[in-house]
């Protein structure tokens, strides 16, 4: 998971009242990143919470306590529980520190630009306040100079993820998952990363074995179909309804399958659920060359669970 780094340059234009207004929503956004597995519950900073201050008002930690007094208890406690890493380069690997020391922000002072440059070289997520239009976006350009091996300075440009409002969490999580979906190495890696890649889906324990037996050439189309099902599950929670708003074709088993020898073929569609019990996964989506994803869904909890991925299961004889 990625780190979050406090962009203190975005805090400077905000007064004490602004900070108290921004913090609860910022806390919700950070919690969304952590909950989705996109970011660690860690905040790296140039200065500690107690050293980050508003003249004659108080510190950032004092602001956390004040929003609790004003009713944002959960957000305040969440912010206080974030692990704090200061100074900025604390516990980083020597090679990362070495590269960072060869870089310098172009449009900000070295002190203000350092957190953003560190985001650029470590793929961290900048967090701060939407105190000015430049900070009020989920993607932020960072221009910096980098010392090249020949001793000259080269121009470098990176786009970093930036969270200053809770609404920014969704796009950041989405980009992170899209990247993970392109980076898996094999079926085992896909299974290990399933929670990050498809956070809104549940997977029965048999699916890992099914993946290991799957034709490796089918994995990209499987990932695409699972991504559509994951999007379906996320939207279902948001919009409600008795049935999922399918983003791909999903159908139940045919009547002939259900009727064959009093349900004998349905046994082939029974797999272990997340709780360990064997249940029927009779709904399915197609992928690859005749392959199937068997699933079930719970309208009361608005959950979609995958029970099987693989070749087409047995059908009644013609």
């Amino acid at each position: 998971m990625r780190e979050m780094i406090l962009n203190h340059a975005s805090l400077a234009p905000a007064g004490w009242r602004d900070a108290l207004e921004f913090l609860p929503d910022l806390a919700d956004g950070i919690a969304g990143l952590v909950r989705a597995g996109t970011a660690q519950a860690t905040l790296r900073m140039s200065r500690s919470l107690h050293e980050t201050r508003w003249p004659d008002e108080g510190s950032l930690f004092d602001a956390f306590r004040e929003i609790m007094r004003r009713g944002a208890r959960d957000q305040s406690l969440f912010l206080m529980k974030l692990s704090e890493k200061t100074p900025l380069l604390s516990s980083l690997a020597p090679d990362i520190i070495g590269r960072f020391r060869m870089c310098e922000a172009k449009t900000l002072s070295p002190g203000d630009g350092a957190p953003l440059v560190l985001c650029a070289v470590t793929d961290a997520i900048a967090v701060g306040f939407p105190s000015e239009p430049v900070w009020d976006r989920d993607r932020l350009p960072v221009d910096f100079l980098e010392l090249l091996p020949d001793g000259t300075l080269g121009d470098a440009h990176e786009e970093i993820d930036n969270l200053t409002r809770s609404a920014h969490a969704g796009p950041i999580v989405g980009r992170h998952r899209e990247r993970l979906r392109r980076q898996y190495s094999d079926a085992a890696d896909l299974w290990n990363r399933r929670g990050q890649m498809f956070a809104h889906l549940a997977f029965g324990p048999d699916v890992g074995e099914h993946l290991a037996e799957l034709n490796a050439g089918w994995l990209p189309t499987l990932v695409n179909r699972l991504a559509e099902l994951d999007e379906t599950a996320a939207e279902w929670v948001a919009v409600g309804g008795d049935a999922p708003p399918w983003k791909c074709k999903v159908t139940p088993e045919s009547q002939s399958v259900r009727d064959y020898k009093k349900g004998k073929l349905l046994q082939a569609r029974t797999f272990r659920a997340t709780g360990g019990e064997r249940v029927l996964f009779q709904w399915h989506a197609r992928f690859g060359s005749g392959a199937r994803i068997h699933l079930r869904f719970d309208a009361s909890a608005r959950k979609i669970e995958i029970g099987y991925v693989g070749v087409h299961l047995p059908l009644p004889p013609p």
Side-chain angles (χ1 to χ4, degrees), residues 56-306:
D56 304 323
E57 295 289 355
S59 68
L60 188 54
F61 188 81
D62 294 329
F64 292 174
R65 298 176 63 183
E66 179 61 19
I67 65 171
M68 176 184 287
R69 191 185 69 80
R70 297 187 180 194
R73 180 178 182 277
D74 292 344
Q75 292 91 338
S76 175
L77 289 174
F78 174 78
L79 290 170
M80 290 180 183
K81 290 178 180 178
L82 287 175
S83 298
E84 182 180 337
K85 287 189 178 180
T86 54
L88 188 62
L89 303 183
S90 173
S91 71
L92 286 175
D95 59 327
I96 294 176
I97 294 175
R99 187 191 172 196
F100 171 77
R101 293 195 185 285
M102 292 190 291
C103 302
E104 184 175 300
K106 290 177 64 176
T107 58
L108 294 170
S109 68
D112 286 344
L116 300 182
V117 172
L118 187 59
C119 285
V121 300
T122 63
D123 191 35
I125 301 166
V127 299
F129 290 164
S131 53
E132 294 180 331
V134 66
W135 309 126
D136 194 4
R137 60 184 70 182
D138 62 68
R139 198 76 169 144
L140 197 64
V142 178
D143 293 301
F144 56 101
L145 298 173
E146 183 169 11
L147 185 64
L148 301 177
D150 64 1
T152 62
L153 288 174
D155 291 317
H157 175 88
E158 294 287 347
E159 295 278 334
I160 66 170
D161 286 328
N162 178 64
L163 184 140
T164 57
R165 296 186 187 274
S166 60
H168 295 159
I172 293 171
V173 170
R175 285 192 294 268
H176 181 75
R177 286 188 185 138
E178 283 300 317
R179 183 168 56 183
L180 285 177
R181 289 168 183 165
R182 295 191 299 269
Q183 289 179 341
Y184 67 91
S185 58
D186 53 24
D189 189 34
L190 174 58
W191 176 245
N192 290 333
R193 297 190 187 203
R194 66 192 184 281
Q196 294 176 299
M197 296 171 69
F198 313 108
H200 302 98
L201 297 177
F203 290 84
D206 293 332
V207 178
E209 298 175 9
H210 304 155
L211 283 169
E213 297 171 357
L214 193 67
N215 183 327
W218 289 354
L219 287 178
T221 55
L222 171 63
V223 168
N224 290 339
R225 187 66 72 240
L226 289 173
E228 292 174 331
L229 293 171
D230 186 70
E231 184 182 352
T232 296
E235 185 172 324
W236 194 19
V237 172
V239 304
D242 295 332
W246 300 115
K247 304 296 181 185
C248 58
K249 186 175 181 179
V250 174
T251 55
E253 286 298 350
S254 66
Q255 190 65 47
S256 62
V257 168
R258 294 197 295 269
D259 291 343
Y260 184 72
K261 292 188 177 181
K262 297 182 179 180
K264 181 179 180 180
L265 289 180
L266 293 182
Q267 292 300 312
R269 285 133 173 99
T270 300
F271 306 99
R272 285 188 297 163
T274 52
E277 71 281 12
R278 294 188 66 83
V279 298
L280 177 63
F281 290 81
Q282 71 156 318
W283 291 77
H284 59 266
R286 297 166 174 80
F287 75 96
S289 179
R292 295 290 187 269
I293 300 169
H294 277 261
L295 57 93
R296 65 176 186 151
F297 57 91
D298 182 345
S300 60
R302 298 198 180 104
K303 293 287 186 182
I304 298 175
E305 182 178 11
I306 310 300

